[in-house]
Amino acid sequence: MTFVDLVEYAKKEEASDIHVTVGTNHAIRKFGELIILEPAPPQGEAIEMIFSCLNEEQRSKVTDGKDLDFALIMPDGTRLRTNIYHQRNNIAASFRLLQNKIPSFEELGIPMAVRKLIDEPRGLILFTGPTGSGKTTSLASMIDYVNKNKSKHVITIEDPIEYVYYHEKSMIHQRELGRDVESFATALHSALREDPDIILVGEMRDFETISAAMTAAETGHLVLSTLHTSSAAQTVERIIDAYPAHGQAQARTQLAANLKGVITQVLVPSYDNDGMVMASEVLINNEAVANQIRENKTHQIVSTIVSGAAQGMHTLNMDLRRLVREQRITDAEARKFASNIKEYEQTKAF
C-alpha cells in the first residue's frame, strides 16, 4: 500500500486522522474512535510512506532526530496537517485530514450568538476546547464568512496553515510559523503595522502571544484565537495566570474591556454513530461578566452564563441536554463529555 492509497482509504472511511508508525500497524481515527488496521504492513512500508511526504530538507531534519509540523498537499488537492515525530528510537507520523471546502456556520452548528460576534469591529473572540474538537474549523468558518460578506483585510498567523483562503470580498494574507515568521508574538507585533481589520492567531500559547493579542484587540482590531481550555471560566483564568503577578490586575482590566466572547466546544459521536456533533459552551461578555473578570470572581461566571440565555449564552451541560432531547446524541455519550455528571443530571436543556 502506498501513502496515497492509505489517504484514499481514510477519506472513504470518513476518518479524521491517520497514524503511521515504523514497525507496527497503521491506524485511523473515525468518529472519535481509533481503529487499528489489519494486516500489519510489510517491513519498510511505513518508512517509505513517511519519507514520501518529505522534501530533502525535511528528510535531513527527521534523520537528525527532529520533529516536524507542516501542511501537506496531495496530488488531488487533499490537505493534511502533518506531524512527524520519534518514538522508541523509530519514526512515526500523524496526519489530520482537512476539508477542502470550509463548512458553513449551519453545517458546523455554530450558535447564532457566536456568528454575530464576527460583526464586532474590535475585541477578542476565543475558541477553546481539547485537541481535535474542531476549533480550527470553526475559526475557518468565521474567516470564510468574512471573506464572502465583508470588505476587510484579514491576517492569519498559523502553525501550520490548514485552510487556504482565496480573495473574494476580503483580502486575506496567511503567515505560517517557520516559513513566513518565527513566532506568533512576532507576527502579531508586525501585523499592527500592516493595516489589518481582523487578525487570526492560531493559538495563544504563551505570555508573549497573549499579551500581543490583547494589545491588538485594545488598539482597534478584531482578534480571533484558540486555547486548550475546557470552559469559559478556565479560559479567563488561563489568560490572567499567564501574566506575572504584578501585571495581573491590569490584565483583568484589559480582558474585561476587550473580550467579546468565549466558545468552548467538543465533538460528540452522533446518535447513529455516523458522524460527529458539536456541543458548545458560549460566554458573551456583558457588564456582569466584565465585573467578574475585573474583580477576580471567575467562579461566578457559570451562574452568569446560566442566566444569560436571552443573550445566547449556555453551558456545555445545557447544550448536551439539548442535543440529547433532539436525539442528535445519546445520553450515554453526553455523560462522557459533561463537565460534571451531577450538574449534568440537574441541568435543563435551553
Side-chain angles (χ1 to χ4, degrees), residues 89-305:
N89 201 34
N90 237 325
I91 302 172
S94 175
F95 303 91
R96 169 68 52 81
L97 279 80
L98 305 173
Q99 301 178 57
N100 289 326
K101 176 181 177 295
I102 300 173
S104 66
F105 292 154
E106 292 76 16
E107 289 169 324
L108 292 177
I110 292 179
M112 186 59 67
V114 177
R115 304 178 197 183
K116 292 179 180 178
L117 291 177
I118 200 63
D119 294 325
E120 293 284 349
R122 64 190 66 84
L124 183 63
I125 303 170
L126 299 173
F127 284 83
T128 79
T131 300
S133 60
K135 300 184 296 296
T136 299
T137 303
S138 292
L139 282 176
S141 183
M142 299 285 270
I143 298 302
D144 191 53
Y145 173 83
V146 170
N147 196 22
K148 287 180 167 61
N149 295 279
K150 298 174 180 288
S151 298
K152 301 289 184 180
H153 180 203
V154 181
I155 293 177
T156 77
I157 310 160
E158 304 171 70
D159 183 25
I161 290 172
E162 297 189 19
Y163 291 96
V164 176
Y165 307 95
Y166 300 96
H167 296 176
E168 294 188 41
K169 282 196 170 183
S170 291
M171 174 179 285
I172 303 178
H173 289 127
Q174 297 182 260
R175 308 190 73 190
E176 181 170 284
L177 263 63
R179 289 179 179 269
D180 306 308
V181 69
E182 63 182 22
S183 71
F184 284 122
T186 300
L188 269 164
H189 287 302
S190 178
L192 298 183
R193 300 186 294 274
E194 293 158 3
D195 188 37
D197 299 292
I198 299 172
I199 305 171
L200 183 151
V201 186
E203 184 181 344
M204 300 210 303
R205 295 176 178 170
D206 50 38
F207 165 68
E208 288 76 16
T209 306
I210 290 171
S211 176
M214 291 267 274
T215 298
E218 195 170 43
T219 54
H221 307 86
L222 185 63
V223 180
L224 288 75
S225 191
T226 73
L227 285 94
H228 289 99
T229 48
S230 58
S231 69
Q234 187 186 72
T235 301
V236 171
E237 291 169 359
R238 177 73 58 83
I239 291 173
I240 302 304
D241 288 346
Y243 284 77
H246 67 270
Q248 291 186 358
Q250 181 182 351
R252 282 194 289 272
T253 300
Q254 278 185 297
L255 187 60
N258 294 295
L259 182 67
K260 296 302 178 183
V262 179
I263 303 90
T264 300
Q265 58 184 70
V266 295
L267 294 179
V268 185
S270 65
Y271 190 89
D272 297 320
N273 202 33
D274 61 354
M276 305 294 281
V277 177
M278 187 179 87
S280 64
E281 176 170 287
V282 175
L283 169 71
I284 304 297
N285 193 10
N286 58 20
E287 186 175 345
V289 173
N291 285 334
Q292 288 159 357
I293 294 173
R294 275 192 297 267
E295 296 170 12
N296 197 20
K297 296 180 179 178
T298 52
H299 61 280
Q300 297 178 359
I301 286 178
V302 174
S303 297
T304 304
I305 293 174

